Amino acid sequence: ESVQLEPGILHVLAPPFVSKTAEHEALRSCGRKRNSCLKKKREQPSSGAATTNQGGLEVTSEEKNEQFHFLVFTDVSGNKTYGVVMQYYRPILLYCFFYLFWGKKDHYVNLVVVTISPCVICSTSCLLTQLRTCRLSDMEEKVKEFATKLTLVPVPPPGQLHLVCMFTLHPLTITLPSREDKDQPLIDLDLHLPFLCFRPQQLLQVLSCLLQEQRVVLFSADWARLCLIYFYDFSAFLQPLSWQHPFVPVLPRDMLDFLMAPTAFLMGSHLSHFSEVAAETDDLILVNIDDGSVSSSSLDVIDVPDIPPAAADCFTHRCQSLQAHFDLDQCHSATHTDIDELREQRRAWQHKLNHDIQRIALELVVNIFRDVSIHLNYEHRVFHSEEFLNTRHPNEQLFYKKVLDTQIFHSFLRDRLNKKMDNFARMELSTRSDMQKYGTMPHRPNMQEIQAKRKSSISENRMNKRLGMSLPNLAGDRALSFKRNPLFSGIIVSDSALKSPPKPVKVLKLPLFPVTLSFSSVQSFFIELIQQLGKAIDSIQNENSSLLARFYYLRGLINTLCLRRLDALSDFQNLCKTDTAIFPTHVVTWLVDSLQQDERQQVHKRPELKRLIFKKPLVQTNNCIKRFKLPQNHLDQDEFVRCVQECGIVKDVATILRLFDALAGVEPEVFRLFYTFWKETEAGVQDVNHLSEVVTQLDNSECVYKLSSCVKTSHGVGKIAMTQKRLFLLTEGKPGFLEITKFRDIKDVKIASTPFLLGRVPSLRVLSSSRSEVFEANLRTETKLWSLVVREMWAGRKMADEHKDPEYITRALTNVLLMDAVVGCLQTQRSISAASKLAHFDKIKHEAPMMVPETTSETLKHKINPSLDLAEPQTVHVLLYTPGQLSCNNAQDEMNPKLWVALSGGRVVVFDAASWLMLQDDIQVGESQVTCMMGLVQDQVWMGSQDSVIYIIDTHSMSCNKQLTEHRHEVTGLSHIYSCSCDGTVLQWDLTSLTVKQQFNPTCDRLSSIQIDGSTLWCCECTLLIFNFIMYLMLAAKRQSNDVFVCLFCLLQRGQLWAGCSDSVELYVWQTTNLKHPFKIISLPNSSRITCMIGVKNQVRVLLNGDGGQCDGQLRSQVFVVDLDSLTVAKELLAHSDSIQTLCSAEDRYVLSGAARHDGKIAIWKVE
């Protein structure tokens, strides 16, 4: 028989547990209130069985085993605090309390110890042994001792460093793991437990309820099982999504009325309340952990939409491959006789299993929300929810409609718009198809997608993919070999993406805890830990930068606790060159604010710390998320530009302004009609794309963009269709495909009239070089519009071929689609006149044709636009080509060479140099302009910036995780192991430790570049400087006093030094073997200025900006090819419509030039 008692609190121990003064400790002890834990309950329940089953404070004649369970406390802001509860039983003499049990000594009372922490959950099992035998009066000291030791253990930073500490059970140790990623919660529990309680189908039901923010209650007869399985394991399955609503792990019986709350919640309760809750509540999702069932409180079946079948089937398939039984999985292994070895084997097995489960759960989330990014407008922070829903299968739309309105999805969407690079983003990026990866996936399904869909889906499950996004993004006539679109496959992520093993971990054993926990003993413990970390840092200084960063982080934290502020700042500063991802911004801010006056004076003497004090404040993250809505008021020009960009029709500002002029005053109704017609036209051509005759005749990259009504033509009755490459006729009656012409083959387009009954009707005539006869179509009222459309596409195709730039055809196609929408929404006599204002390239063709010289056309191979995804072009400041071996990833696409392009504001975009296609995600390198780049070793690219920092890019992760901050002014040059800044500082680097080996400080006004030549370092300023590591020599050239050297390079194979001046057309050439020998001067034609030059094979390419002709009022830049043998100009090439800013060479096969913002493109030139 047991007696129920009202529990009371014996002790509350809160940090700090160790103080400098004994007086402070005494005051805390005096102010502590001690209560008896044994109080008879004022009101006994009518049936004590239910209360007894739920635990609580009780006196019983039977001793029970100790129990553990976990708690989660969530405040109103969503911050979580974690707790471990230990419950054990102690024998007592009951005659002290109740005369009914006078003299009995074989009774036991249960006591509870709760350890609460904001981050790390530590097992309290090592405390249990001592608490079992200690007296009640000694319990406070034992618990305090344990809590004090627990607070001495630092929290390891995210990464692969685990801490091992010794508590009280020698020789057993406790390992404190770290988070694998800063965006993931710490997982040190058994994630496979839900798979032992539920089948995958039930797990998917629960996850679907969570994603749709249902009211969910979990039940179990075991508190530990209740907390473990749901409030840890299920939350881990949703990463990176996180629950945003009330979160109550354990709900007592007298608070069950909380389940009547109308809002979404997650709560847990004892299994004994299951029937009562099911009978008295409506629309609750009831999850019985003990029998693995999921039910509804009001319905026989759960009325919640299921997770999309493709993602669900993939999850189920993955779960079947998990081995969730340790003994079965390790039955082939030898049995360990050492308990430490057995525990380590079990821990390693659990770590690997947890890793696999997290990858499977992450894959599920990626498969559900993969296409969200396609419908995001990052510049205006708009999510096109309706377009996203329209691309879902009809059976899945209800699920997505409910999920899109939840707060959990809103938080996820905010991270996507902020381009957060978490595990979701990394897996989504690594498993993209080629079309998604390179950003060339058309917004309308092309022929290859349609064929893949037909092969991979039965007719009932075909995607009803309407055309959501609108701007075409084409790659010219190149027939790219793309993989199958993942939208049409059942299992989306490849097996290889999930088979990556967990990263190996490093274990750091902490010093033994002090015997006495006085202030001096604790300080000695910290000092010993600092010394141990110092030895660890010295031992791996040049081996593992990631692990080195974790040691610096820990030592910085311990120095902070010891109030060694300068040492702590120095440790945190070292994170810049090891791993900036774990830089503790808030801790550093606190340290800087708490510096004393003498410490600030010392900081000013240490330049590396001075940067931390004057660091710019953090920019507040923009958390705004908008859903596109049609305007309700009259739109002026600026509002119209914003509205068109938000709705995703077009980004280019110049095109939008022409559209604004065409619509001539945009009222809300006009814009609504325009937008509606645009979308309806996109959907209207979908059926044509799916015709068998069309699919088999068109190229993989083609899709239909415009379709006429049924008309009479010179080749029968049918409909005229237009792709980005050609016109073709779909004949009526017996369906057939007849190609009319490709746009590049058109010779002439005319509007004529043809007899029809008693009159004449307008018709369109197209003369093509591929046909001897003229094609004529009686398009009637559509004739003028089709004439504009064909002429614009013809002009765009011609300019694309002449300039080797496929963007012309892309922009022409955009103009055509806008013309169609303008005519459709206006429906007036002036609609054709309005549409003609959008015929931009046809106008250029007739009014100001841009003829490309023959020499330029023969040498120019291709043009690419790094500002393709931006509203306006940006200046190409720096170019860098890295060969394929720079990226040594196993994936084939990572082996391709890359072209790195630095734009304004620290934005860097990367092209696949094998196909010249842009990788979709860009890299942000600080906020200042990148001034120079250098490919170094096998997995790094160095980038110097105007903010005096050298950023190091990891080419595997394509992220910036290291910085070199030794320069004090703008970094202007990088060469091999040297860097220079504009103040004349030249640094020589140790590439292994990333430390400065040597520093030079020549006297100069502005150092603009450097180049290494064997043992000689050449630097470029207003005079030429030569270094032989110690001395330098100034060389004077006869020139005007206002000339400044702006470019310099050394031809090693010829022993020549070339230099060019601004505001001059002369090149200076020295022999490096005899600097006293008179230099040669090469005069270039035209009055211009030299910006840069480069040597490739037996040629020198010099860029001049100036009088090279004009186009639309913009200057044309020239490229001069100088022959090295004769030192004369061999070729004169017409390059860009704005000044050229940079040059680079691609393995001596190509030379690439980048232009300023009015042009903003990169030209790729062949090298003969």
Side-chain angles (χ1 to χ4, degrees):
E1 182 181 1
S2 62
V3 177
Q4 296 297 314
L5 303 174
E6 181 180 355
I9 299 176
L10 277 178
H11 311 292
V12 176
L13 302 175
F17 300 107
V18 180
S19 174
K20 284 186 177 182
T21 61
E23 291 79 9
H24 179 70
E25 185 67 26
L27 290 174
R28 293 180 64 234
S29 300
C30 294
R32 187 181 299 117
K33 183 179 180 180
R34 185 184 295 264
N35 296 326
S36 172
C37 67
L38 303 178
K39 296 181 181 179
K40 187 76 179 283
K41 283 196 172 181
R42 298 183 180 87
E43 297 181 3
Q44 291 289 343
S46 57
S47 175
T51 308
T52 303
N53 290 337
Q54 296 178 56
L57 186 63
E58 62 179 356
V59 177
T60 178
S61 59
E62 179 183 359
E63 183 178 11
K64 300 180 180 180
N65 293 329
E66 65 276 1
Q67 295 180 356
F68 296 86
H69 66 272
F70 299 90
L71 292 177
V72 180
F73 305 95
T74 308
D75 61 19
V76 294
S77 301
N79 301 313
K80 291 181 174 59
T81 303
Y82 303 92
V84 182
V85 180
M86 179 182 70
Q87 183 176 348
Y88 64 102
Y89 287 78
R90 288 284 310 278
I92 61 170
L93 298 177
L94 283 185
Y95 63 77
C96 298
F97 302 99
F98 307 109
Y99 67 91
L100 294 177
F101 301 100
W102 184 269
K104 295 185 178 180
K105 301 181 180 180
D106 56 346
H107 285 75
Y108 303 86
V109 64
N110 62 326
L111 302 178
V112 177
V113 177
V114 182
T115 304
I116 298 176
S117 171
C119 46
V120 175
I121 298 175
C122 177
S123 173
T124 56
S125 59
C126 56
L127 180 63
L128 181 62
T129 303
Q130 295 189 11
L131 292 184
R132 277 177 173 174
T133 58
C134 73
R135 294 177 299 174
L136 194 64
S137 59
D138 297 333
M139 184 185 301
E140 177 183 0
E141 292 302 321
K142 292 295 182 183
V143 174
K144 177 183 176 182
E145 179 184 354
F146 175 79
T148 304
K149 292 179 179 179
L150 190 61
T151 58
L152 297 182
V153 180
V155 179
Q160 306 307 310
L161 177 63
H162 295 184
L163 301 182
V164 172
C165 52
M166 301 287 294
F167 274 92
T168 54
L169 290 181
H170 296 285
L172 297 182
T173 59
I174 294 178
T175 300
L176 301 180
S178 61
R179 292 177 293 170
E180 290 189 8
D181 187 88
K182 66 177 181 179
D183 299 312
Q184 281 186 313
L186 173 62
I187 301 295
D188 191 32
L189 301 168
D190 299 341
L191 292 184
H192 68 284
L193 295 182
F195 295 94
L196 303 179
C197 299
F198 300 95
R199 291 176 297 171
Q201 291 76 12
Q202 277 67 50
L203 285 177
L204 289 169
Q205 277 186 313
V206 176
L207 295 178
S208 178
C209 294
L210 298 182
L211 289 174
Q212 297 173 64
E213 294 186 346
Q214 299 292 315
R215 299 186 297 160
V216 181
V217 186
L218 269 78
F219 297 90
S220 177
D222 189 318
W223 294 122
R225 188 183 306 159
L226 177 65
C227 296
L228 271 175
I229 290 200
Y230 182 66
F231 295 103
Y232 291 98
D233 293 343
F234 279 169
S235 62
F237 288 167
L238 292 176
Q239 296 297 322
L241 289 85
S242 59
W243 185 254
Q244 306 288 317
H245 292 279
F247 190 84
V248 183
V250 179
L251 194 66
R253 187 183 186 284
D254 55 358
M255 299 178 67
L256 289 180
D257 55 344
F258 280 27
L259 299 179
M260 300 293 185
T263 184
F265 55 74
L266 299 179
M267 297 189 185
S269 184
H270 197 271
L271 185 61
S272 59
H273 304 315
F274 185 92
S275 300
E276 179 183 357
V277 172
E280 298 185 9
T281 58
D282 296 326
D283 300 328
L284 291 186
I285 303 299
L286 309 179
V287 181
N288 188 335
I289 296 176
D290 294 348
D291 65 9
S293 64
V294 183
S295 59
S296 174
S297 61
S298 58
L299 300 172
D300 295 335
V301 295
I302 300 178
D303 188 21
V304 177
D306 293 330
I307 287 175
D313 292 345
C314 179
F315 179 79
T316 303
H317 172 77
R318 302 292 192 198
C319 292
Q320 293 172 353
S321 64
L322 288 174
Q323 180 53 265
H325 299 275
F326 173 73
D327 293 333
L328 185 61
D329 190 52
Q330 300 294 318
C331 62
H332 62 280
S333 302
T335 302
H336 293 282
T337 57
D338 185 272
I339 189 172
D340 282 333
E341 293 179 357
L342 182 61
R343 292 174 74 239
E344 182 58 33
Q345 181 189 24
R346 177 66 167 78
R347 184 175 186 83
W349 174 84
Q350 189 65 59
H351 179 66
K352 181 180 182 303
L353 182 60
N354 282 357
H355 175 80
D356 294 340
I357 292 174
Q358 287 177 283
R359 298 289 291 179
I360 291 174
L362 179 62
E363 179 197 34
L364 174 66
V365 177
V366 169
N367 289 345
I368 294 174
F369 299 111
R370 173 184 298 278
D371 298 324
V372 167
S373 60
I374 300 176
H375 301 272
L376 293 179
N377 186 319
Y378 293 96
E379 290 77 13
H380 297 277
R381 301 187 65 82
V382 175
F383 174 55
H384 297 271
S385 56
E386 291 299 325
E387 295 175 357
F388 174 77
L389 286 174
N390 288 337
T391 62
R392 304 300 95 191
H393 191 280
N395 295 338
E396 303 171 1
Q397 289 186 1
L398 182 58
F399 168 83
Y400 282 106
K401 187 174 182 180
K402 290 189 174 183
V403 170
L404 262 55
D405 290 332
T406 61
Q407 292 187 27
I408 190 173
F409 179 77
H410 186 274
S411 176
F412 168 80
L413 198 62
R414 182 178 61 246
D415 291 338
R416 298 316 108 199
L417 286 170
N418 291 335
K419 297 186 177 181
K420 184 177 182 179
M421 188 51 65
D422 53 14
N423 282 340
F424 175 93
R426 282 187 282 270
M427 177 177 280
E428 192 273 333
L429 180 62
S430 65
T431 57
R432 285 176 181 174
S433 67
D434 285 345
M435 282 183 289
Q436 291 172 319
K437 187 177 299 181
Y438 294 125
T440 58
M441 183 177 178
H443 301 294
R444 307 185 182 207
N446 59 29
M447 297 304 109
Q448 186 194 18
E449 292 180 85
I450 295 168
Q451 289 175 331
K453 178 181 176 182
R454 289 183 172 184
K455 294 177 182 178
S456 63
S457 303
I458 59 175
S459 57
E460 300 84 73
N461 295 325
R462 286 180 181 174
M463 302 291 288
N464 182 23
K465 184 176 172 73
R466 289 185 59 196
L467 307 170
M469 303 293 279
S470 309
L471 230 183
N473 187 3
L474 310 176
D477 290 335
R478 289 170 294 172
L480 302 175
S481 177
F482 290 127
K483 298 176 184 177
R484 194 169 76 179
N485 187 344
L487 285 174
F488 305 108
S489 57
I491 297 178
I492 300 175
V493 178
S494 63
D495 291 338
S496 60
L498 295 178
K499 289 183 178 179
S500 58
K503 298 178 181 179
V505 299
K506 171 71 175 179
V507 176
L508 176 67
K509 188 174 181 179
L510 299 181
L512 293 177
F513 292 112
V515 178
T516 60
L517 296 175
S518 62
F519 179 80
S520 58
S521 299
V522 171
Q523 290 297 306
S524 299
F525 170 79
F526 284 149
I527 292 174
E528 184 179 356
L529 180 54
I530 291 174
Q531 294 173 349
Q532 181 179 343
L533 289 169
K535 294 178 181 178
I537 290 172
D538 294 336
S539 64
I540 62 164
Q541 188 65 245
N542 301 329
E543 298 177 5
N544 189 333
S545 62
S546 178
L547 184 59
L548 184 63
R550 272 70 195 167
F551 288 146
Y552 277 129
Y553 180 97
L554 281 178
R555 194 171 71 174
L557 285 183
I558 303 302
N559 279 322
T560 302
L561 290 175
C562 296
L563 297 181
R564 299 180 174 184
R565 300 181 184 87
L566 297 184
D567 292 339
L569 288 175
S570 179
D571 286 329
F572 291 141
Q573 174 63 26
N574 284 325
L575 294 178
C576 292
K577 63 177 63 176
T578 51
D579 192 351
T580 57
I582 61 173
F583 187 84
T585 304
H586 297 293
V587 176
V588 172
T589 302
W590 179 86
L591 283 171
V592 171
D593 293 340
S594 62
L595 287 176
Q596 304 298 320
Q597 185 63 34
D598 58 332
E599 292 174 326
R600 289 188 177 273
Q601 293 176 356
Q602 295 181 51
V603 167
H604 285 282
K605 299 177 181 179
R606 300 173 62 177
E608 72 278 4
L609 298 185
K610 192 175 180 181
R611 181 183 295 273
L612 292 177
I613 293 183
F614 297 104
K615 199 165 186 176
K616 295 181 180 179
L618 291 176
V619 179
Q620 293 295 327
T621 303
N622 186 357
N623 294 325
C624 171
I625 301 176
K626 295 185 287 186
R627 303 281 180 93
F628 175 71
K629 295 181 180 179
L630 291 172
Q632 302 297 321
N633 302 313
H634 175 80
L635 297 176
D636 59 24
Q637 182 172 291
D638 294 339
E639 292 172 340
F640 181 77
V641 171
R642 176 190 55 79
C643 195
V644 172
Q645 289 178 338
E646 282 187 1
C647 69
I649 293 177
V650 64
K651 293 182 179 180
D652 181 61
V653 175
T655 303
I656 298 175
L657 294 179
R658 288 193 291 270
L659 176 61
F660 181 80
D661 187 33
L663 293 177
V666 185
E667 298 296 333
E669 181 63 19
V670 174
F671 190 89
R672 185 189 66 81
L673 290 174
F674 170 79
Y675 182 79
T676 303
F677 191 86
W678 176 278
K679 297 303 176 185
E680 290 177 349
T681 303
E682 290 180 335
V685 298
Q686 182 178 359
D687 294 336
V688 179
N689 282 324
H690 288 270
L691 293 176
S692 300
E693 296 82 4
V694 175
V695 172
T696 57
Q697 295 292 333
L698 299 183
D699 296 338
N700 284 342
S701 60
E702 282 187 275
C703 54
V704 176
Y705 286 92
K706 183 170 174 56
L707 184 68
S708 75
S709 58
C710 189
V711 297
K712 180 182 178 181
T713 72
S714 56
H715 289 78
V717 178
K719 296 181 179 180
I720 299 176
M722 183 197 77
T723 72
Q724 66 268 36
K725 295 182 180 181
R726 73 187 86 201
L727 295 172
F728 65 90
L729 178 67
L730 286 173
T731 57
E732 291 290 315
K734 182 180 179 181
F737 177 94
L738 175 66
E739 180 178 303
I740 299 172
T741 183
K742 291 184 172 65
F743 290 117
R744 62 160 44 98
D745 296 333
I746 294 178
K747 288 186 173 181
D748 193 15
V749 178
K750 292 182 178 179
I751 295 178
S753 62
T754 185
F756 183 75
L757 297 178
L758 300 178
R760 302 181 71 85
V761 295
S763 63
L764 182 69
R765 293 181 179 179
V766 179
L767 178 61
S768 172
S769 61
S770 61
R771 287 181 172 272
S772 57
E773 70 278 9
V774 176
F775 176 84
E776 186 172 6
N778 300 343
L779 287 163
R780 302 185 181 181
T781 57
E782 300 179 64
T783 302
K784 292 183 179 180
L785 175 59
W786 271 95
S787 176
L788 287 175
V789 165
V790 176
R791 286 179 177 276
E792 181 70 5
M793 293 298 295
W794 177 24
R797 178 74 271 170
K798 184 177 180 181
M799 294 181 66
D801 291 341
E802 290 179 351
H803 294 266
K804 310 293 180 65
D805 188 353
E807 190 190 0
Y808 282 109
I809 192 65
T810 302
R811 293 173 59 189
L813 182 55
T814 301
N815 295 338
V816 164
L817 297 176
L818 293 175
M819 290 181 204
D820 202 20
V822 167
V823 172
C825 76
L826 293 182
Q827 295 291 338
T828 62
Q829 294 293 329
R830 70 177 187 88
S831 60
I832 297 298
S833 175
S836 64
K837 297 179 180 180
L838 294 164
H840 178 63
F841 295 111
D842 186 48
K843 180 180 179 181
I844 292 178
K845 176 184 173 183
H846 290 90
E847 296 181 2
M850 293 189 297
M851 300 301 297
V852 179
E854 182 178 354
T855 305
T856 300
S857 181
E858 292 175 351
T859 310
L860 181 63
K861 175 179 175 59
H862 192 59
K863 275 192 176 183
I864 53 179
N865 183 8
S867 305
L868 190 62
D869 294 331
L870 304 179
E872 294 180 311
Q874 292 190 5
T875 298
V876 179
H877 292 285
V878 190
L879 292 173
L880 173 68
Y881 173 88
T882 55
Q885 62 266 25
L886 185 68
S887 293
C888 48
N889 205 316
N890 291 330
Q892 181 63 34
D893 54 338
E894 292 295 325
M895 294 296 292
N896 291 340
K898 292 183 175 64
L899 175 66
W900 305 73
V901 184
L903 303 177
S904 302
R907 177 187 172 99
V908 177
V909 296
V910 185
F911 286 82
D912 183 331
S915 60
W916 301 118
L917 295 174
M918 185 193 303
L919 300 177
Q920 189 160 336
D921 290 68
D922 60 297
I923 303 171
Q924 189 66 36
V925 182
E927 299 178 3
S928 302
Q929 176 183 316
V930 173
T931 55
C932 52
M933 293 193 289
M934 173 179 63
L936 199 62
V937 297
Q938 291 186 344
D939 56 357
Q940 291 182 2
V941 169
W942 288 25
M943 300 184 181
S945 175
Q946 285 183 342
D947 60 9
S948 75
V949 177
I950 297 176
Y951 296 90
I952 300 179
I953 308 299
D954 186 324
T955 58
H956 298 310
S957 63
M958 301 297 286
S959 61
C960 176
N961 58 357
K962 297 179 182 179
Q963 300 175 9
L964 303 180
T965 57
E966 277 70 9
H967 282 288
R968 300 292 168 256
H969 296 82
E970 173 188 343
V971 180
T972 55
L974 294 168
S975 180
H976 191 47
I977 58 175
Y978 295 92
S979 65
C980 70
S981 53
C982 62
D983 63 336
T985 301
V986 179
L987 302 180
Q988 180 187 4
W989 295 94
D990 184 313
L991 300 183
T992 305
S993 62
L994 298 180
T995 56
V996 177
K997 293 178 62 177
Q998 199 168 2
Q999 178 174 336
F1000 307 101
N1001 293 98
T1003 304
C1004 62
D1005 295 331
R1006 179 178 175 83
L1007 193 57
S1008 61
S1009 64
I1010 55 176
Q1011 185 176 351
I1012 187 72
D1013 173 17
S1015 61
T1016 305
L1017 180 68
W1018 298 92
C1019 305
C1020 180
E1021 196 246 347
C1022 59
T1023 57
L1024 288 180
L1025 303 172
I1026 174 175
F1027 277 94
N1028 197 345
F1029 297 118
I1030 299 177
M1031 302 181 63
Y1032 67 90
L1033 175 67
M1034 302 183 66
L1035 301 174
K1038 294 182 179 179
R1039 60 190 184 278
Q1040 296 180 358
S1041 59
N1042 59 346
D1043 286 346
V1044 176
F1045 284 110
V1046 294
C1047 51
L1048 168 80
F1049 76 92
C1050 186
L1051 293 175
L1052 304 182
Q1053 66 275 22
R1054 290 180 174 264
Q1056 293 178 340
L1057 177 67
W1058 290 60
C1061 295
S1062 64
D1063 299 326
S1064 174
V1065 290
E1066 293 180 340
L1067 296 177
Y1068 301 90
V1069 183
W1070 286 268
Q1071 292 296 324
T1072 57
T1073 56
N1074 186 3
L1075 295 175
K1076 295 183 179 180
H1077 192 275
F1079 53 82
K1080 297 181 180 179
I1081 298 178
I1082 303 174
S1083 297
L1084 302 176
N1086 298 325
S1087 175
S1088 181
R1089 63 185 183 90
I1090 299 173
T1091 56
C1092 50
M1093 56 184 169
I1094 190 172
V1096 182
K1097 291 185 177 179
N1098 62 339
Q1099 299 175 347
V1100 173
R1101 302 211 169 199
V1102 185
L1103 300 187
L1104 273 74
N1105 301 317
D1107 303 330
Q1110 289 189 348
C1111 175
D1112 295 336
Q1114 298 176 345
L1115 296 176
R1116 305 276 296 207
S1117 299
Q1118 295 169 292
V1119 177
F1120 288 96
V1121 181
V1122 180
D1123 183 77
L1124 291 180
D1125 295 325
S1126 61
L1127 296 182
T1128 58
V1129 176
K1131 288 184 180 180
E1132 181 179 346
L1133 307 175
L1134 203 59
H1136 300 271
S1137 57
D1138 201 349
S1139 60
I1140 299 175
Q1141 303 295 306
T1142 180
L1143 278 175
C1144 80
S1145 170
E1147 299 180 352
D1148 286 346
R1149 295 174 56 199
Y1150 305 107
V1151 170
L1152 299 93
S1153 58
R1157 61 183 301 271
H1158 290 297
D1159 182 282
K1161 294 185 180 180
I1162 300 170
I1164 304 169
W1165 307 88
K1166 293 182 290 186
V1167 177
E1168 298 176 356

